[in-house]
Amino acid sequence: MQENQVDFKQLKERVTIEQLLKHYGVRLRPAGPGNVRGRCPLPTHTSKVSTESFSANLARNVWSCQSASCVAARGGQLGGNILDFVATMERCSIRDAGLRMRDWFATSAPNPTPGRYLSEPVATEPNPPLNFVLHKVDCWHSYLAQRGINVSTAKTFGVGLYSGEGFLSGRIVIPIHDHVGQLVAYAGRSTAGEEPKYRFPTGFRKSQVLFNFNRAIHSGEKNAILVEGFFDAMKVHQAGHANVVAMMGSTFSQRQSDLLTGKFERVTLMLDGDAAGRRAADTIAKSLEARVQVDRVDVGDGRQPDQMRSQEINALVGLARCRTHSMER
C-alpha cells in the first residue's frame, strides 16, 4: 500500500471502537451487554449538563453522543463508525482519519489470518529522526509525582511539562526513540483530563517502534517485559527493570515482534488487567511462542502496571522468573 492510500473497508473490519477508546485513554463504564457509557471525549462537546452522554456499542463498532453540542456540531447526527470518531477527535477529514488509523494500527495486511492479533508491517519508510529537541521541559512537575514517577525516572526518560509553543504546549511530553536510539517523536499527555489524552505528531507510526527498546537492549537481560503504555514502562523501569518495553497501546505489530525476538530470548507479558488487555495477551502470546519463550503476568482485575507500587511489580516479576526457571529445569 502506498503512503497516501488507505483501505477503509479493511480498517472497519480490523480496528475496533474499543481499541480507539483505549488509544485516546477514554475510560467508560459498562452499560449493558456490549455497551459502555461515560463522559464524552469529543472536542465538539461543550455541554455542561450532559455528563454521561457518550456511549459505544462494542459489538456493532459504533458510538454516539446525545449532547446537544455534539449533535449540532455533526449536523444532527448522533454518532457514527470508527472513522467518524477519529475524524471528530482529530478535527480532520475521513480520509486523513483513515491514514492515521492505518499508521496507528498497522492495518495493511490484505488477508489477515483469522484470530491473529499481529498486524503486518505498513509498507512505508520507518519514522524519520527529528531534527530538533524540545527545551523548557519541567521534570519536576507535580503531575509526574501524582502518577508515581520520581524525578530521577523523569530525567532518565526526558519526560516533563512542556512550556514552549506548539501543539504539545502545556502537556507532559514523552520522547520516543527508535531501535538505534534516534529521537523520532514526542507524545504529549494532558494533565487535567482534557481530550485527547495523548497527542502524537501527524504521520508518526507507533507500529514501527517500541518505547524504551533502545535502553532495554542494553540492560544485559535476555528477557524483555512487554507493557502497553508509557507510564506502565516508566513504573516498571523505576522498580528496577530496565528491560521493559511498551507497545504504546494494545496493538502489537509485526515490526514490534521482529524487534523483540531479534534481541531477546524470552518475553514476559505484563498487560492491563481489563478485557482488552487479556485478549491482547492471549493473541500476542500465541504469535510469539514459535519464536521466543513467553510468560504472562496477571496484574489483577481492572489494574495496570502504572497503578502499582514497586514492591508489587517486583513480586509479580519474581513469580514470572520462578515459573520460567521451573520450566527450564
Side-chain angles (χ1 to χ4, degrees):
M1 184 178 293
Q2 295 179 1
E3 175 78 21
N4 61 350
Q5 293 182 340
V6 60
D7 188 332
F8 295 108
K9 181 175 182 291
Q10 185 187 84
L11 282 172
K12 291 178 182 179
E13 291 174 348
R14 299 190 62 189
V15 179
T16 68
I17 188 66
E18 188 174 12
Q19 285 176 295
L20 287 172
L21 292 172
K22 194 154 194 174
H23 171 81
Y24 285 108
V26 178
R27 294 183 179 276
L28 304 173
R29 61 175 178 79
N35 291 286
V36 290
R37 178 178 294 278
R39 196 173 100 182
C40 180
L42 301 172
T44 52
H45 188 96
T46 58
S47 173
K48 303 297 183 184
V49 294
S50 302
T51 56
E52 289 210 346
S53 59
F54 185 87
S55 63
N57 185 303
L58 305 183
R60 295 176 55 204
N61 224 24
V62 295
W63 60 275
S64 67
C65 180
Q66 305 286 337
S67 76
S69 57
C70 283
V71 173
R74 291 182 51 75
Q77 295 183 3
L78 294 180
N81 58 33
I82 55 172
L83 288 162
D84 299 315
F85 180 71
V86 173
T88 305
M89 289 291 287
E90 301 290 326
R91 297 182 184 271
C92 67
S93 67
I94 293 294
R95 182 177 178 280
D96 285 343
L99 288 169
R100 296 184 191 196
M101 289 167 62
R102 184 199 68 180
D103 292 341
W104 294 342
F105 300 106
T107 55
S108 68
N111 296 301
T113 303
R116 190 179 181 193
Y117 195 77
L118 269 174
S119 302
E120 296 299 326
V122 179
T124 55
E125 293 297 317
N127 295 297
L130 298 183
N131 58 5
F132 65 89
V133 175
L134 294 181
H135 300 287
K136 300 181 181 179
V137 176
D138 179 11
C139 297
W140 288 267
H141 192 266
S142 60
Y143 177 83
L144 296 172
Q146 293 169 11
R147 297 293 298 266
I149 304 299
N150 61 40
V151 174
S152 176
T153 299
K155 288 183 176 180
T156 295
F157 284 89
V159 304
L161 186 77
Y162 177 56
S163 58
E165 299 179 353
F167 81 111
L168 295 178
S169 180
R171 287 177 171 257
I172 297 293
V173 292
I174 306 167
I176 303 171
H177 300 82
D178 64 13
H179 62 291
V180 295
Q182 297 181 114
L183 179 65
V184 294
Y186 285 94
R189 176 52 160 98
S190 65
T191 61
E194 62 270 27
E195 301 291 348
K197 287 191 177 181
Y198 281 98
R199 287 191 183 279
F200 292 88
T202 301
F204 171 66
R205 304 171 186 90
K206 292 195 295 183
S207 62
Q208 299 297 300
V209 294
L210 283 165
F211 180 66
N212 197 53
F213 182 80
N214 60 302
R215 300 184 187 91
I217 57 177
H218 299 297
S219 66
E221 294 280 349
K222 296 180 180 179
N223 175 63
I225 301 171
L226 180 65
V227 298
E228 293 188 28
F230 298 115
F231 283 89
D232 296 325
M234 285 185 268
K235 286 295 287 288
V236 173
H237 189 284
Q238 187 169 281
H241 308 284
N243 54 323
V244 63
V245 299
M247 300 183 286
M248 299 177 285
S250 59
T251 300
F252 189 60
S253 71
Q254 184 65 55
R255 171 59 177 163
Q256 291 171 328
S257 174
D258 291 342
L259 287 171
L260 271 185
T261 57
K263 292 292 185 178
F264 296 97
E265 298 176 5
R266 300 190 301 274
V267 176
T268 297
L269 304 180
M270 188 183 286
L271 307 188
D272 293 357
D274 57 10
R278 290 195 173 98
R279 284 197 298 270
D282 288 339
T283 49
I284 292 172
K286 290 177 183 177
S287 70
L288 288 175
E289 284 170 349
R291 305 174 71 181
V292 293
Q293 184 174 320
V294 179
D295 198 5
R296 292 175 59 169
V297 169
D298 184 2
V299 301
D301 289 341
R303 302 195 72 195
Q304 50 199 55
D306 73 329
Q307 300 169 339
M308 304 173 71
R309 293 177 292 113
S310 291
Q311 297 93 320
E312 295 177 280
I313 293 171
N314 290 334
L316 290 174
V317 173
L319 286 174
R321 284 175 176 169
C322 287
R323 287 196 297 267
T324 299
H325 292 158
S326 177
M327 292 173 61
E328 289 176 346
R329 289 197 299 268

